[in-house]
Amino acid sequence: MKLAIIGTGYVGLVTGTCLAEIGNDVICADNDSRKIEVLNDGGMPIYEPGLKELIAKNRTEGRLSFSTDIGEAVRVSDIVFICVGTPSREDGSADLTAIEKVSQAIAGSINSYKLIVEKSTVPVETGEWVKRTIHTFKKEETDFDVASNPEFLREGSALDDFMHPDRVVIGVESERAEKMLRELYEPLNTKIVVTNIEGAEIIKHASNSFLATKISFINALSNICEKAGADVDAVAEGIGLDKRINTHFLKAGIGFGGSCFPKDVKAFIHISEKLGCPFNLLKEVERINEMQKEIAVKKVTEMLWNIPGKVIGVWGLAFKPNTDDVRSAPAIAIIKRLQAEGAKIKVFDPEAMETAKSKLGDSVTYCSDIYETAKDSDCIILMTEWDVFKEVDWNKIKDAMKQPALMDGRNLYDPDELKNLGFKYAGMGREV
Ligand code: UGA
């Protein structure tokens, strides 16, 4: 099939590349000429393991191209995917101006039947607006359908998630649209859930909100475990081995971040209020997530007595491992709070140093490895559980530090081992 992907951000690039890989002719279009230039030169605007190589392969094999000409991409395609950003507004609602702009651009270029698919995460009711916009602005008398096909890709494992999904969700209003999308996803050989557009839009928000709820549940529980003298990881295993609960997304820590959970939980709260059914449970999910960062700061303060003038080494800036993404990363928020209290911060992350510069500027010292970060530090905080942080020569770290203290924000280390080596240790929801 011939496909146009509008928007070459994270979702658009992964979706377009993977759809090319399963045999489609794909044009990824974006009005950001700089981004398209980078892609056409073989560069990458984002970091995602394996994506660069898969893009190169599909370009060489002639199934994938990049263009700034959105109109032309629409004209030559059967299916047009909308993959533009839907950031949070001040009030928590999703900013849908990019979706409207792209809908108008698509309408201006429709020359024959097109299936227009929302891939961006949008609140329920957006499909209806896209439909209305295309009706209003289309210049030629031609049929079209709108569908919703949310993505469930995790940064860092997006290619594998695309190729081996648990399910594909399609929200459609016509048999023609259903048939086209079924055919498109057939090579993935997976369960396809078919619903109306509203159902698919809600599935996306509800999936992310449910996962965020699991994380806040275990984080709230971690604080109870700590006070009661239990270990939250053992408790999580004990509850998670019940198949109805399962062990995924039950890892306690400094909270969830990224470009999806915080934004989607907010947008779901907002749309539920608009629909007259306030989803207050999700407000508590947000509150617990904020509280985890406060707790992390408090633990550091308890270890160091006074924060002003103390040097704190930070291991990990990305909101999770295997990505350079620092959007809503707990590490950034915690660093800013400690800086506000007078701490001096040294940081190291294997991939996210450049992206972090946009948030931290020159207010921190950027280091080249964990040992440099530890040098003359009063405390180390493990913020992101990258593999490189699993192999540590603790004696070398201890010798480099001013005083050996570790705040393990992801419960990565063995507390007994560290205490035996003479470290002060604090974890999240662990017996101390
Ligand atoms: C999330 C969803 O997992 C994807 O299914 C969805 O497609 C994507 O959002 C999206 O809407 O585009 P992602 O943001 O890449 O994917 O990150 P996750 O792997 O879900 O992790 C989110 C955050 O939760 C991270 O900060 C992570 O450290 C934290 N987390 C995760 C925990 O604190 N504990 C856990 O047990 C799991």
Side-chain angles (χ1 to χ4, degrees):
M1 265 189 255
K2 291 193 184 311
L3 314 176
I5 308 284
I6 317 295
T8 55
Y10 187 80
V11 172
L13 266 186
V14 173
T15 304
T17 308
C18 290
L19 286 171
E21 174 68 10
I22 59 172
N24 301 285
D25 287 326
V26 181
I27 304 176
C28 290
D30 203 302
N31 61 7
D32 182 342
S33 54
R34 200 189 39 82
K35 233 190 224 175
I36 295 297
E37 212 173 288
V38 168
L39 287 161
N40 275 329
D41 287 346
M44 283 292 292
I46 55 161
Y47 170 78
E48 177 64 29
L51 185 58
K52 192 173 178 192
E53 294 75 12
L54 203 62
I55 288 179
K57 172 174 181 268
N58 280 278
R59 286 183 72 198
T60 309
E61 291 171 6
R63 287 187 302 270
L64 180 64
S65 61
F66 300 105
S67 167
T68 48
D69 193 343
I70 294 176
E72 181 61 10
V74 171
R75 281 191 288 278
V76 301
S77 297
D78 310 308
I79 307 182
V80 181
F81 284 89
I82 303 179
C83 299
V84 293
T86 53
S88 285
R89 284 206 185 95
E90 279 282 291
D91 64 358
S93 64
D95 182 344
L96 301 172
T97 46
I99 300 267
E100 182 182 358
K101 244 193 217 151
V102 168
S103 305
Q104 290 187 14
I106 294 170
S109 302
I110 283 193
N111 52 346
S112 59
Y113 174 85
K114 307 284 170 197
L115 172 57
I116 296 137
V117 183
E118 298 171 345
K119 194 64 150 166
S120 309
T121 301
V122 291
V124 62
E125 294 181 340
T126 307
E128 204 43 49
W129 275 106
V130 171
K131 229 179 339 179
R132 266 185 244 167
T133 306
I134 294 176
H135 265 302
T136 310
F137 290 92
K138 79 182 158 86
K139 296 206 176 79
E140 293 196 24
E141 258 327 301
T142 167
D143 278 353
F144 71 92
D145 274 309
V146 170
S148 166
N149 170 220
E151 52 82 21
F152 302 102
L153 311 171
R154 284 164 303 170
E155 286 187 28
S157 53
L159 302 186
D160 196 52
D161 286 348
F162 189 96
M163 295 299 185
H164 308 284
D166 291 338
R167 79 306 202 187
V168 163
V169 172
I170 57 177
V172 286
E173 287 184 335
S174 78
E175 276 177 22
R176 187 175 187 176
E178 179 178 342
K179 192 165 166 285
M180 286 173 84
L181 287 173
R182 277 190 184 278
E183 206 178 303
L184 182 69
Y185 286 110
E186 215 209 313
L188 297 183
N189 197 17
T190 190
K191 166 102 187 137
I192 296 188
V193 178
V194 183
T195 174
N196 60 8
I197 295 177
E198 290 78 4
E201 289 169 335
I202 287 182
I203 287 169
K204 172 65 196 194
H205 266 163
S207 297
N208 275 2
S209 298
F210 189 81
L211 292 171
T213 303
K214 278 189 92 173
I215 299 170
S216 279
F217 181 92
I218 201 67
N219 280 336
L221 200 58
S222 75
N223 300 317
I224 297 170
C225 287
E226 199 171 301
K227 293 277 184 277
D231 184 312
V232 71
D233 289 335
V235 171
E237 188 184 12
I239 53 179
L241 286 173
D242 182 330
K243 288 193 187 67
R244 293 168 303 174
I245 298 172
N246 90 46
T247 48
H248 299 293
F249 283 71
L250 280 185
K251 187 88 186 103
I254 52 177
F256 59 79
S259 64
C260 304
F261 285 179
K263 167 176 85 79
D264 293 350
V265 168
K266 265 193 181 38
F268 207 24
I269 291 171
H270 194 273
I271 191 75
S272 68
E273 278 169 0
K274 195 173 159 211
L275 293 169
C277 322
F279 206 154
N280 291 329
L281 172 65
L282 295 183
K283 289 191 178 160
E284 188 59 14
V285 167
E286 274 191 319
R287 194 193 63 81
I288 293 166
N289 201 48
E290 283 311 302
M291 198 174 71
Q292 288 309 100
K293 297 171 215 167
E294 300 294 343
I295 289 171
V297 172
K298 195 163 158 248
K299 281 173 186 280
V300 173
T301 313
E302 275 164 8
M303 282 196 286
L304 296 185
W305 191 12
N306 295 302
I307 295 294
K310 293 280 163 53
V311 179
I312 296 174
V314 167
W315 291 356
L317 296 164
F319 80 99
K320 66 171 191 178
N322 300 321
T323 175
D324 66 350
D325 199 339
V326 295
R327 284 176 287 176
S328 300
I332 304 290
I334 293 169
I335 287 171
K336 288 195 168 165
R337 274 170 226 199
L338 288 165
Q339 283 176 324
E341 291 188 28
K344 294 196 178 82
I345 309 285
K346 300 172 79 176
V347 300
F348 170 68
D349 186 289
E351 289 293 340
M353 303 274 265
E354 270 316 302
T355 44
K357 279 182 186 156
S358 67
K359 312 260 177 210
L360 299 170
D362 54 11
S363 70
V364 300
T365 306
Y366 296 92
C367 301
S368 55
D369 62 22
I370 53 171
Y371 302 102
E372 193 186 333
T373 323
K375 194 168 180 331
D376 298 326
S377 289
D378 293 282
C379 176
I380 285 177
I381 310 180
L382 184 277
M383 302 272 202
T384 320
E385 66 279 31
W386 285 93
D387 277 347
V388 290
F389 300 143
K390 289 179 184 161
E391 301 297 322
V392 179
D393 180 341
W394 288 112
N395 285 317
K396 202 168 155 190
I397 293 288
K398 191 179 165 194
D399 288 347
M401 293 181 78
K402 207 182 282 167
Q403 49 175 325
L406 179 85
M407 181 13 235
D408 182 358
R410 300 287 180 179
N411 292 350
L412 188 66
Y413 302 116
D414 178 351
D416 290 335
E417 185 194 342
L418 282 153
K419 278 186 242 163
N420 288 340
L421 283 166
F423 277 82
K424 277 190 210 161
Y425 174 92
M428 302 297 285
R430 298 180 132 181
E431 208 182 343
V432 278

